[in-house]
Amino acid sequence: MNWVGRSLRRFEDPALLRGEGRFTADIASDALVVRFLRSPIANGRIVSLRPPADMPPGAVFVSAAEMAGTATIKPMLHRFAYRAVEQPVLPGDRVHFVGQAIAAIAAATAELAEDLVEAIEVDYEAETPVVDLDAALLPDAPLVHGIAPGNVAVEGVLRSPECDAAFAGASHVVELAILSRRQNATPMEARAGCAQFDRATGRIRLTASVQMPHMLRTGIAELLGMAESDLQVVAPDVGGGFGQKMALFPEYAVLVWLARRHRGAFAWIEDRNENLIASAHSRDQRHVLRGAFDADGTLLGLEAEILANVGALSAYPTTCGVEPLMAFAEYPGPYKVPIYNARARGVLTHTCPMAPYRGVSRPVITFGLERLMDQAAKAIGIDPVAIRRRNLVDSFPYQTATGLTLDDASYVETLDDAVALLDIPAFRARQAAARTEGRFLGLGLAVFNERTGYGTPAFAARGMGIVPGYEVVDITMTPGGEVELRIGASPHGQGLRTTLAQIVADRLGVSPDVIRIIHGDTDRTPYGWGSFASRATVISGGACQVAADKLAMRLRAAAATMLQAKAEEITLRDGLAVAANGSSVALAAPARQVDQRSDQLEGFNLAE
């Protein structure tokens, strides 16, 4: 069989297309509605905070005072001059950005909760905020968390002793500055959570639109000082993540605290305004690049000064280093950069915190590097295609100046194919003709590469306090012959269920439609790291292949005893275990035999 690579209708799509998907908001109908009071100022002191004067029966107010004793969110990085910042779940004395949650109200309806939030009385003592890179780096800038100089929370530096000589001897030195404005992921489904107290067990079930259920369970349990086994986190259908739903957000901890304290159900469904101002942002960066080129356009050296506005706080568990350090490590991209100097700084400001967002930093560094190539081609007087072809990596494996190893790739061949398809000479003729008519046609070229399949070594190299990257899967075959695969990854629209079913189907010789993927539930799945960084198919898929091979070995061993054959002679195909002499049994037969009549499997070891 060869299910991998086949075009299949995705197993996860029918329910969504019929409108029968199950999202967090669908589960929250019987819960009290939670609304958060958010700071209207970017920097200042909370002088006083008072609940509404007339709280109706059943409504609940919560602030930092009620949650006293709760731990702070403090992601760690043990490299790159990292300065840790502690984030209270709800701040009791200071606010650090517009939109920061400082209190919450739970009530029977959203309208009532919103009215009560507006009735909360708060006295602020506003102070001058610092909101952009230039202001934050000034010697006398307000300090976001007392971090001096320049509010720099993380800094990566790489210096090559040959760099000065390369630039001094270059025929051409090209310099440019680029700016990437702040962005918001804007998933179709905003953040959402529903915490429900189980009176029979005392446990909490948190259903949430998240990418990392197991991480969230661990983080919330540590914040609230509760047993992790008392908290179940479930990610149902998730309407887009894009990295924004990776972080441990305070709002989820508040929901769990409310459910424990008041032994009930509490739900928060983020609105679009909240998502825009208070959910994680991304890509607020400024880069200055210098490239040294010889007369024929060969790149001799690259210098990069990278500044990232990382906001007021540090996302857990990735830290505020995720954007500046990604740019720092991957700027050489697919090009041969023999000498590289770089300095990357993450600068704190009184703005919404940064978190990973699809393709972390790569759009910015790709834009910077490709503009550098265009500018150099113009300065040298050579074709933009030629300068790229000359500098693209064409021998593999290739180690970059930052120590990354590039696997086999077809950068040059892909560029040549694109150029052939475009028919650039013909386009240039159309371009010239259009210009005489006052119309301007442009042609842009970009070649980029991207790391995928991030495993534990990649995160360990960053010095993260929490080192993610591995995946665990559990696989079983039921007595009826169905395959159950429990995965730590947590898909949210990528088609992972279909892909993993194809991988396992090939290893077991069954059809993918008999494979059930169970995910997104910390009670039912092994500890894993969710889905992010284009890694789930590679890492979880690899684990699925290893697990399926082990199950296949046991199926062959059990079938061999039934067919009076040797295990190595058994082939699994078309849902059958087939011996070398052609005799066969359905795979359900040895599965049922192992579970229900193991006494008849002479020589079969149940413990292996």
Side-chain angles (χ1 to χ4, degrees):
M1 282 192 185
N2 184 18
W3 288 104
V4 171
R6 256 192 229 191
S7 179
L8 300 180
R9 291 189 176 183
R10 302 198 322 178
F11 300 146
E12 44 270 272
D13 290 350
L16 298 175
L17 294 172
R18 292 192 299 264
E20 296 171 352
R22 188 83 166 150
F23 295 85
T24 300
D26 299 317
I27 295 158
S29 57
D30 295 329
L32 289 181
V33 179
V34 175
R35 288 291 183 266
F36 287 91
L37 174 67
R38 298 188 180 275
S39 172
I41 65 172
N43 180 32
R45 194 167 65 89
I46 302 172
V47 178
S48 64
L49 175 66
R50 296 174 296 278
D54 298 315
M55 285 282 286
V60 178
F61 170 81
V62 59
S63 68
E66 284 74 28
M67 295 187 70
T70 300
T72 57
I73 302 171
K74 187 179 178 180
M76 290 302 299
L77 196 68
H78 300 296
R79 292 186 61 193
F80 302 108
Y82 176 71
R83 306 286 293 276
V85 173
E86 295 190 42
Q87 177 184 4
V89 173
L90 293 174
D93 53 355
R94 298 193 64 83
V95 292
H96 293 100
F97 67 96
V98 171
Q100 184 174 10
I102 61 174
I105 294 279
T109 67
E111 294 79 9
L112 178 57
E114 289 166 6
D115 289 344
L116 290 171
V117 163
E118 291 181 0
I120 297 173
E121 297 181 15
V122 191
D123 293 325
Y124 299 99
E125 188 176 282
E127 299 175 11
T128 302
V130 55
V131 296
D132 61 48
L133 289 166
D134 290 329
L137 291 168
L138 291 173
D140 58 348
L143 298 180
V144 180
H145 291 286
I147 291 177
N151 290 296
V152 175
V154 63
E155 181 174 18
V157 178
L158 180 65
R159 295 291 180 215
S160 170
E162 299 87 6
C163 204
D164 289 344
F167 275 83
S171 300
H172 300 273
V173 174
V174 179
E175 182 172 334
L176 61 88
I178 64 168
L179 183 66
S180 173
R181 292 296 187 183
R182 182 168 286 239
Q183 299 178 17
N184 178 284
T186 318
M188 185 177 293
E189 179 194 24
R191 295 179 297 169
C194 178
Q196 300 163 299
F197 181 80
D198 185 336
R199 293 178 179 272
T201 63
R203 300 181 75 222
I204 306 293
R205 176 187 174 105
L206 173 65
T207 303
S209 183
V210 296
Q211 294 176 233
M212 290 181 160
H214 285 279
M215 180 282 297
L216 189 63
R217 182 183 70 167
T218 299
I220 291 175
E222 291 178 350
L223 284 176
L224 302 183
M226 63 185 292
E228 191 166 344
S229 58
D230 285 341
L231 178 60
Q232 175 189 12
V233 175
V234 177
D237 289 320
V238 173
F242 313 118
Q244 190 185 73
K245 295 177 181 177
M246 286 174 61
L248 169 57
F249 288 107
E251 289 87 348
Y252 295 128
V254 172
L255 292 178
V256 174
W257 183 90
L258 283 166
R260 292 183 78 211
R261 172 62 65 89
H262 298 282
R263 298 168 62 85
F266 296 82
W268 165 64
I269 310 300
E270 184 181 52
D271 64 32
R272 281 294 157 195
N273 183 61
E274 285 181 297
N275 184 266
L276 182 63
I277 68 170
S279 194
H281 292 174
S282 63
R283 292 186 186 151
D284 191 345
Q285 299 186 29
R286 186 173 70 219
H287 302 174
V288 177
L289 298 181
R290 295 178 72 232
F293 295 84
D294 69 8
D296 69 357
T298 300
L299 182 61
L300 305 175
L302 177 68
E303 289 186 338
E305 182 73 26
I306 300 159
L307 288 172
N309 180 345
V310 297
L313 300 162
S314 200
Y316 181 103
T318 53
T319 80
C320 63
V322 63
E323 288 210 355
L325 296 180
M326 180 72 81
F328 171 80
E330 302 203 5
Y331 231 121
Y335 291 100
K336 290 177 280 191
V337 180
I339 298 170
Y340 178 54
N341 271 7
R343 183 188 186 197
R345 287 175 287 172
V347 182
L348 293 165
T349 63
H350 292 109
T351 60
C352 182
M354 293 290 181
Y357 174 46
R358 191 176 182 92
V360 176
S361 287
R362 293 186 192 92
V364 191
I365 64 178
T366 299
F367 176 69
L369 202 52
E370 294 303 312
R371 286 298 298 152
L372 186 73
M373 289 295 170
D374 283 338
Q375 298 275 16
K378 184 177 181 179
I380 298 168
I382 63 175
D383 185 79
V385 174
I387 196 171
R388 288 174 169 82
R389 186 183 290 114
R390 179 164 292 131
N391 289 292
L392 285 169
V393 175
D394 54 7
S395 179
F396 301 93
Y398 179 88
Q399 189 170 67
T400 72
T402 58
L404 300 177
T405 299
L406 303 185
D407 296 330
D408 287 358
S410 56
Y411 305 131
V412 175
E413 295 84 354
T414 302
L415 175 65
D416 288 343
D417 285 350
V419 168
L421 287 168
L422 282 170
D423 190 359
I424 289 181
F427 175 83
R428 294 300 185 198
R430 287 196 297 117
Q431 187 181 46
R435 191 159 297 179
T436 64
E437 301 169 2
R439 296 185 297 114
F440 294 88
L441 301 180
L443 173 65
L445 295 169
V447 188
F448 80 101
N449 58 5
E450 179 177 3
R451 273 200 287 178
T452 62
Y454 282 79
T456 295
F459 295 104
R462 295 182 184 180
M464 292 174 64
I466 293 175
V467 182
Y470 65 84
E471 287 299 335
V472 179
V473 302
D474 293 336
I475 189 170
T476 59
M477 179 172 278
T478 68
E482 301 86 13
V483 179
E484 291 185 350
L485 194 68
R486 292 173 170 82
I487 64 173
S490 184
H492 45 274
Q494 305 93 332
L496 188 61
R497 285 170 53 194
T498 303
T499 303
L500 297 185
Q502 288 174 283
I503 292 171
V504 171
D506 276 344
R507 314 306 287 193
L508 297 181
V510 298
S511 172
D513 58 16
V514 303
I515 299 170
R516 184 181 182 197
I517 311 294
I518 300 170
H519 63 86
D521 185 339
T522 58
D523 272 10
R524 303 180 66 200
T525 60
Y527 205 102
W529 290 99
S531 294
F532 65 100
S534 303
R535 62 180 293 279
T537 295
V538 178
I539 306 298
S540 186
C544 286
Q545 180 170 303
V546 172
D549 284 344
K550 291 182 177 180
L551 178 58
M553 180 178 65
R554 290 177 58 78
L555 284 169
R556 282 193 290 267
T561 64
M562 299 177 70
L563 296 173
Q564 298 182 349
K566 296 180 180 179
E568 57 270 23
E569 297 175 348
I570 301 294
T571 302
L572 306 182
R573 63 174 187 266
D574 300 323
L576 303 172
V578 184
N581 62 8
S583 59
S584 66
V585 293
L587 284 180
R592 186 179 296 273
Q593 197 85 342
V594 168
D595 285 326
Q596 298 182 352
R597 292 303 307 270
S598 59
D599 60 299
Q600 294 183 354
L601 294 175
E602 184 177 350
F604 181 81
N605 190 339
L606 285 171
E608 289 182 355

